[in-house]
């Protein structure tokens, strides 16, 4: 994509009302623009990142055995009355009346709807276990939306729902999602720590929050130093009950707790390995038994011919919120530093002299070579000062920068810069392409 034809409204200064790093940088880098309190338009560069985050989430859900569907944003109030949550949920729920005076709501979550969908289709134990998920926009009418997409009113969220015959099977489904979440965040370059959590309005007796460490995070977290080791993908077989439980037990062996869940005894055991940091919640998982299936009349025929009320769990990842969390964890004083897996473009190509025919020809040729190699490239072909181009590329945080200028062309080289480290090397153009391509 040529930057001269792109829509990238970057800003030199942070807006006065932006309080945290991710909010400031998302506005400055032209990722989003606020349309109302807690509601944002996703601009082209931000949308590319959002789609890449969404795709990683989708791939790991699919790998764990979950099945994707899509539920509507608006829900009937009667569904929520069946579960007893319509009046209990609170003012965060946006309640709506349509032209026929039917009570509706803009869904903050989908436990009731997915239970009704499954209730109307499932007949026997042969229909279990099942995990259904979707990636959909939610609305929660926060009284004080703040911190940009970290605590907005409209948010893109992945939520999954498990249906199992009994508690033993349901806990295995919980473990599947636990490991799928670890893999999801690891693929994005994040170290996400699972911490026991309150279940809140979702309900249930087993819950973990996944917290990304970030100095500017929203809450205090306490953890064993072992959690500072790099994140690794787990290759466990999701059908292996004991193996999966072993992975989960291994990950929960080291102490980790939010401020409200601290354990003085375990902190004493950690000794000088105990760490305090700030963190951002990026995922939350729950097992809640028959909290929704029982009141909503979800019953199936068991293996012995009797009735079984399925056990359920729900599993959320804030897809749009993740973008803010990643920026909080990965930035410097110049701008964003995107992990390669979710960067909007792999490389920024900078033509230092758009008014120089030789530079322009060389940059155009390299642009074509990068595209032919399947590399996503943002080509700054604007007639701007070199300093402004460098500042823009550092701000938007693409993993690689390739700089073409008259002096380098005389030597037959281009400059390749690694955004995360600042390392710069001079290479032949073909070698720069190979380096960016990972060859």
């Amino acid at each position: 994509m040529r930057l001269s034809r792109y829509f990238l409204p970057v800003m030199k200064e942070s807006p006065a009302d932006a309080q945290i790093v991710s909010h400031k940088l998302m506005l400055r880098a032209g990722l989003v623009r606020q349309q109302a309190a807690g509601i944002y338009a996703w601009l082209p560069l931000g949308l590319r990142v959002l789609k890449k985050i969404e795709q990683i989430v989708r791939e790991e859900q699919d790998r764990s055995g979950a099945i994707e569907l899509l539920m509507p944003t608006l829900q009937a109030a009667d569904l929520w009355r069946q579960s007893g949550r319509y009046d209990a949920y609170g003012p965060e729920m946006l309640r709506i009346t349509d032209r026929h005076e039917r009570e509706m709501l803009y869904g903050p979550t989908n436990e009731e709807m997915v239970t009704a969908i499954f209730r109307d289709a499932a007949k026997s134990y042969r229909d279990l276990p099942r995990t259904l998920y979707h990636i959909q926009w939610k609305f929660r009418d926060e009284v004080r939306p703040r911190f940009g997409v970290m605590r907005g009113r409209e948010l893109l969220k992945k939520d999954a729902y498990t249906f199992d015959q009994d508690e033993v099977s349901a806990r295995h489904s919980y473990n599947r999602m636990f490991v799928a979440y670890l893999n999801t965040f690891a693929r994005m370059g994040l170290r996400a720590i699972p911490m026991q959590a309150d279940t809140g309005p979702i309900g249930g007796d087993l819950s973990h929050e996944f917290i990304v460490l970030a100095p500017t995070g929203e809450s205090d977290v306490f953890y064993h130093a072992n959690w500072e080791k790099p994140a690794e993908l787990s290759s466990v077989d999701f059908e292996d009950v004991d193996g999966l439980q072993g992975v989960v037990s291994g990950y929960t062996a080291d102490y980790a707790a939010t401020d409200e869940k601290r354990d003085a005894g375990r902190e004493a055991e950690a000794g000088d390995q105990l760490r305090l940091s700030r963190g951002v919640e990026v995922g939350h998982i729950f097992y809640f038994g028959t909290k929704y299936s029982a009141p909503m009349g979800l019953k199936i025929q068991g293996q012995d011919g009797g009735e079984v009320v399925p056990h359920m769990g729900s599993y959320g990842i804030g897809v749009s919120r993740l973008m803010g969390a990643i920026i909080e964890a990965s930035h410097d004083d110049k701008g964003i530093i995107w992990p390669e897996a979710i960067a909007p473009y792999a490389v920024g190509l900078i033509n230092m002299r758009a008014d120089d025919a030789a530079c322009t020809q060389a940059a155009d040729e390299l642009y074509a070579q990068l595209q032919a190699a399947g590399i996503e490239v943002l080509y700054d072909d604007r007639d701007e000062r070199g300093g402004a181009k460098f500042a823009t590329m550092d701000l938007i945080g693409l993993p690689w920068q390739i700089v073409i200028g008259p002096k380098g062309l005389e030597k037959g080289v281009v400059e390749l810069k690694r955004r995360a480290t600042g390392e710069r090397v001079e290479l032949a153009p073909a070698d720069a392409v190979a380096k960016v391509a990972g060859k």
Side-chain angles (χ1 to χ4, degrees), residues 30-66:
L31 305 180
V32 297
R33 285 294 182 267
Q34 182 171 311
Q35 301 305 299
I39 300 174
Y40 291 85
W42 292 83
L43 303 187
L45 201 71
L47 184 61
R48 288 181 69 90
V49 179
L50 191 67
K51 291 295 184 183
K52 291 191 174 186
I53 292 173
E54 179 182 334
Q55 186 58 26
I56 290 175
V57 170
R58 175 176 289 111
E59 288 171 4
E60 291 303 321
Q61 288 294 292
D62 293 347
R63 193 158 75 93
S64 75

Side-chain angles (χ1 to χ4, degrees), residues 190-201:
L190 294 174
R191 167 49 102 189
I193 305 177
M195 302 186 180
Q196 285 193 338
D198 290 323
T199 57

